[in-house]
Amino acid sequence: MTERKDRYRAALERAGDSTARSSKVTTLHSKYVSVTIEVDPDLREGLMRWAGPPLSLLVLAGATVFRAVSDAAARLPLVPDGARRT
């Protein structure tokens, strides 16, 4: 496994440009699977620039809807046995 990883990294270095760029490395371990993901910093920045605004808008809309629903549920009167009346 280590030899294969070393060969993979060496191939990436040969294929890359002359300047070394750092990459974000994430390792996920579970009982059955171990996965290592390396992300090029340029890809990460481009993805955040492309997907950041729509995801932020989605989170804001979800929070607004959740707040409206929880406020409406809090205003419902309680019946004597503790259950909410609809």
Side-chain angles (χ1 to χ4, degrees):
M1 179 74 173
T2 304
E3 181 183 342
R4 183 173 46 181
K5 188 187 309 181
D6 292 339
R7 282 188 286 155
Y8 173 74
R9 289 180 194 265
L12 284 177
E13 289 175 11
R14 283 192 306 270
D17 54 3
S18 61
T19 61
R21 294 185 302 182
S22 64
S23 61
K24 173 77 174 165
V25 177
T26 303
T27 303
L28 307 171
H29 293 286
S30 74
K31 185 176 180 180
Y32 302 106
V33 178
S34 175
V35 178
T36 300
I37 301 170
E38 292 187 49
V39 179
D40 182 21
D42 294 338
L43 174 67
R44 185 180 63 204
E45 291 169 7
L47 185 61
M48 289 306 295
R49 193 176 316 119
W50 175 77
L55 289 176
S56 296
L57 185 61
L58 185 63
V59 168
L60 178 64
T64 304
V65 169
F66 179 74
R67 190 177 306 116
V69 169
S70 64
D71 289 346
R75 281 187 252 127
L76 287 176
L78 292 175
V79 293
D81 63 352
R84 294 196 182 275
R85 189 181 332 162
T86 56

